[in-house]
Amino acid sequence: MRLSLRPSDSLADYPFVHRVRTRFAETDAMGVIHHAAYVPYLEEARAALLEWLGHPYEQVRADDGVDFGVLELSVRYRAPLRFGETVDVGAAVGGLTRATFQVAYLLAVDGTPRSTAVTVHGAVDRHGRATRLPSWLAGAALRAGAAPADGTR
Amino acid sequence: MRLSLRPSDSLADYPFVHRVRTRFAETDAMGVIHHAAYVPYLEEARAALLEWLGHPYEQVRADDGVDFGVLELSVRYRAPLRFGETVDVGAAVGGLTRATFQVAYLLAVDGTPRSTAVTVHGAVDRHGRATRLPSWLAGAALRAGAAPADGTR
Amino acid sequence: MRLSLRPSDSLADYPFVHRVRTRFAETDAMGVIHHAAYVPYLEEARAALLEWLGHPYEQVRADDGVDFGVLELSVRYRAPLRFGETVDVGAAVGGLTRATFQVAYLLAVDGTPRSTAVTVHGAVDRHGRATRLPSWLAGAALRAGAAPADGTR
Amino acid sequence: MRLSLRPSDSLADYPFVHRVRTRFAETDAMGVIHHAAYVPYLEEARAALLEWLGHPYEQVRADDGVDFGVLELSVRYRAPLRFGETVDVGAAVGGLTRATFQVAYLLAVDGTPRSTAVTVHGAVDRHGRATRLPSWLAGAALRAGAAPADGTR
């Protein structure tokens, strides 16, 4: 496992926060948001983070000729989300290597943590082969990095 | 609306039946399968129908160079589906024009109708432009056509 | 089919417009938003419409003791949606009977129609039996009704 | 993190294998199965595993009065899945505590590993409070346990 980030429980530790509203279609028969529905929340927050960094994902694909494939995913479910709730998804970049980077997430409602997550991404070229990260990502990691307290394991 | 097929309530009227098992992820907070989850069931039955006709969808895309875009969709929800149920999805082709065809569906559990649906499809080339249907579809419509009783409106 | 509304092509005809942003998770291998993903967009717009009318869906379930089941769904796909687009979903209530109502939708990007849709809903009580619509819905239909031009078929 | 299982790369190490067929609706604009779609595959395999153990999930909810909430999820994506592929999902139970258990998974196509995953589950009663695991799970873990080689970290 490449996963090394440890997401903070405090939104204040995240340089970027994206809001999502839960959908009824995402609920399940237990009456809560189904655990699979969190994964698109993370992706939506990640896309918004890239946009905020000045590198929208469509542009990364077009200009840099790379896709950021998902290599690993880890989610901790701490308290359920419910239909109609507004979720603050904090996101922070970290753990860069030559070809991979990580994003740490906190999902909180009214400041209360509901879930944390980490994704690991690899740059792949148009033929699906691993390739170097675009050079702007190093700067992005400085600007959108997690607060030092989060650290790495 | 191009939609003209009237799906039969009897599985016996369908030349092809595909089975799907409902997933817990597809339930919602009302305790039943969410209405949006039916749409992939229809698509899965349609793909299995094309395969049964000797023209798997991947091959249609590769050999004929066409995609079958969805132009219209209509679903009637008559009785809910529940988690763990095995659903027989009857499918029949009909309503061919130069560039479009329709599929009628019945979703039944133990022979009891739960839902009916119709989709209208158009052939599009690699540039997304409407194009003629592949010639094998006329024969397919004979082989996989709905029983005459279903008729058209 | 109970479906009788004919959705207008102009956002100006809708009393309420809800914005959604398409997600990468909703794309498919044709490079566009998958047709099944539109169904939760409609539902999200419908929930926002109820909220705007002062009757959030959670409250309808709690206070009125009714659920609004989906009885019918019809979608016309006219031009594809793509990842990262912001979609204006116009929604209008109409076609009320004692136990059912309809919602007409227009999905547009920068004012250009991409899709129209209609859903038919029935009030059901806690035991899943059809029941009368809550009385506030008649007023809601006046306030959130489609412009007369849309009419009924 | 409670996650301790290390999924084996060989299907032979799994006491139970469930087959799923990928759906077109699950593809994304990269032309492969979207990473969020794996999560329902795991759940479907888990439900089939419980059924095979003689304790279908619906029955667990009804008879034992417990739900198995998902506490943690971890997925490694090693090679993409594509539309139309048949995926063997190996599943093995392990890591039992008083109130939690884990499931390890291998997703393979024609014996080649595409992904591995682990989920951690907690028993919760009807009020959503953590409760003891049903007693049959200890036996199930013996019968459906991972081969010793998988071990724990």
Side-chain angles (χ1 to χ4, degrees):
Chain A
M1 300 285 277
R2 296 190 190 81
L3 264 168
S4 61
L5 295 185
R6 219 177 35 184
S8 161
D9 275 3
S10 166
L11 272 181
D13 289 333
Y14 293 82
F16 178 77
V17 176
H18 176 71
R19 294 207 137 177
V20 297
R21 190 98 190 265
T22 57
R23 293 174 173 175
F24 190 77
E26 295 162 347
T27 60
D28 67 22
M30 288 195 208
V32 298
I33 299 302
H34 188 266
H35 65 283
Y38 290 51
V39 186
Y41 296 170
L42 305 179
E43 184 182 64
E44 189 178 306
R46 202 159 61 233
L49 173 68
L50 288 177
E51 208 170 315
W52 175 73
L53 287 166
H55 296 271
Y57 188 54
E58 304 88 319
Q59 194 180 302
V60 173
R61 297 184 82 195
D63 296 359
D64 297 303
V66 300
D67 266 320
F68 291 144
V70 179
L71 302 179
E72 297 180 24
L73 161 72
S74 171
V75 188
R76 284 191 64 188
Y77 303 92
R78 298 166 49 165
L81 293 170
R82 293 178 190 282
F83 168 55
E85 287 186 329
T86 298
V87 186
D88 290 313
V89 186
V93 176
L96 267 75
T97 67
R98 250 174 80 99
T100 68
F101 67 98
Q102 302 183 33
V103 184
Y105 311 83
L106 169 66
L107 281 70
V109 177
D110 296 330
T112 308
R114 299 290 178 88
S115 181
T116 53
V118 181
T119 50
V120 182
H121 301 271
V124 290
D125 65 20
R126 295 213 164 83
H127 309 285
R129 282 186 297 246
T131 186
R132 264 173 183 271
L133 294 183
S135 54
W136 57 264
L137 250 168
L142 288 180
R143 192 168 152 219
D150 301 344
T152 52
R153 269 194 266 203
Chain B
M1 300 285 277
R2 297 189 188 80
L3 264 168
S4 62
L5 296 184
R6 221 177 34 184
S8 161
D9 274 3
S10 166
L11 272 181
D13 289 333
Y14 293 82
F16 178 77
V17 177
H18 176 71
R19 295 207 137 176
V20 297
R21 189 98 191 265
T22 58
R23 293 173 172 173
F24 189 78
E26 296 163 346
T27 59
D28 66 21
M30 289 195 208
V32 298
I33 299 302
H34 188 265
H35 64 283
Y38 291 52
V39 186
Y41 296 170
L42 304 179
E43 184 181 65
E44 190 178 306
R46 202 159 61 235
L49 173 68
L50 288 176
E51 207 170 315
W52 175 73
L53 287 166
H55 296 270
Y57 188 54
E58 303 89 318
Q59 193 181 302
V60 173
R61 298 183 81 194
D63 295 0
D64 297 303
V66 300
D67 265 320
F68 291 144
V70 179
L71 302 179
E72 296 180 25
L73 161 72
S74 171
V75 188
R76 283 192 64 190
Y77 303 90
R78 297 166 50 166
L81 293 171
R82 293 178 190 283
F83 167 54
E85 287 186 329
T86 299
V87 186
D88 290 313
V89 186
V93 176
L96 267 74
T97 67
R98 251 174 80 98
T100 69
F101 67 98
Q102 302 182 32
V103 184
Y105 311 84
L106 169 66
L107 281 71
V109 177
D110 295 330
T112 307
R114 299 290 178 89
S115 182
T116 54
V118 181
T119 50
V120 182
H121 301 271
V124 290
D125 66 19
R126 295 213 164 83
H127 309 286
R129 282 186 298 245
T131 185
R132 266 174 181 272
L133 294 184
S135 54
W136 56 265
L137 250 168
L142 288 180
R143 191 167 153 222
D150 301 345
T152 52
R153 269 193 267 205
Chain C
M1 300 284 277
R2 295 189 191 82
L3 265 168
S4 61
L5 295 184
R6 220 179 33 185
S8 161
D9 275 2
S10 165
L11 273 181
D13 288 333
Y14 293 82
F16 178 77
V17 177
H18 176 71
R19 296 206 136 177
V20 297
R21 190 99 190 266
T22 57
R23 293 174 173 173
F24 189 78
E26 296 163 346
T27 59
D28 66 21
M30 289 195 207
V32 299
I33 299 302
H34 189 267
H35 65 283
Y38 290 52
V39 186
Y41 296 171
L42 305 179
E43 184 182 66
E44 190 178 306
R46 202 160 61 234
L49 172 68
L50 288 176
E51 207 170 315
W52 175 73
L53 287 166
H55 295 270
Y57 188 53
E58 303 89 318
Q59 194 180 302
V60 173
R61 298 183 82 195
D63 294 0
D64 297 302
V66 300
D67 265 320
F68 292 144
V70 180
L71 302 179
E72 297 180 25
L73 162 71
S74 171
V75 188
R76 283 191 65 188
Y77 302 91
R78 298 166 50 164
L81 292 171
R82 293 178 190 282
F83 168 55
E85 287 187 328
T86 298
V87 187
D88 290 313
V89 186
V93 176
L96 266 75
T97 68
R98 252 175 80 99
T100 68
F101 67 98
Q102 302 182 33
V103 184
Y105 311 84
L106 169 66
L107 281 70
V109 177
D110 295 330
T112 307
R114 299 291 177 89
S115 181
T116 54
V118 181
T119 50
V120 182
H121 301 270
V124 291
D125 66 18
R126 295 212 163 84
H127 309 285
R129 280 185 299 246
T131 186
R132 266 173 181 272
L133 294 183
S135 54
W136 57 265
L137 250 167
L142 287 180
R143 192 169 152 219
D150 300 345
T152 53
R153 270 193 267 204
Chain D
M1 299 286 277
R2 296 190 189 81
L3 265 167
S4 61
L5 294 185
R6 219 177 36 185
S8 161
D9 275 3
S10 165
L11 273 181
D13 288 334
Y14 293 82
F16 178 77
V17 177
H18 176 71
R19 294 205 138 178
V20 297
R21 190 100 189 264
T22 58
R23 293 173 172 175
F24 190 78
E26 295 162 348
T27 60
D28 67 21
M30 289 196 207
V32 298
I33 299 302
H34 189 265
H35 65 283
Y38 291 52
V39 186
Y41 296 170
L42 305 179
E43 185 182 63
E44 190 178 305
R46 203 160 60 234
L49 172 68
L50 289 176
E51 208 170 315
W52 174 73
L53 287 166
H55 296 270
Y57 188 53
E58 304 89 317
Q59 193 181 303
V60 173
R61 298 184 82 196
D63 294 0
D64 297 303
V66 300
D67 266 320
F68 292 144
V70 179
L71 303 179
E72 297 180 24
L73 161 72
S74 172
V75 188
R76 282 192 65 189
Y77 302 91
R78 297 167 49 166
L81 292 171
R82 295 179 189 281
F83 167 55
E85 287 187 329
T86 298
V87 186
D88 290 313
V89 186
V93 176
L96 267 74
T97 68
R98 250 175 80 98
T100 68
F101 67 98
Q102 302 183 31
V103 184
Y105 311 84
L106 169 66
L107 282 69
V109 176
D110 295 331
T112 307
R114 299 290 178 89
S115 182
T116 54
V118 180
T119 50
V120 182
H121 301 271
V124 290
D125 66 19
R126 293 211 165 84
H127 309 286
R129 280 186 299 246
T131 185
R132 265 173 181 272
L133 294 183
S135 53
W136 56 265
L137 250 168
L142 288 180
R143 191 168 153 220
D150 301 343
T152 53
R153 269 193 268 204

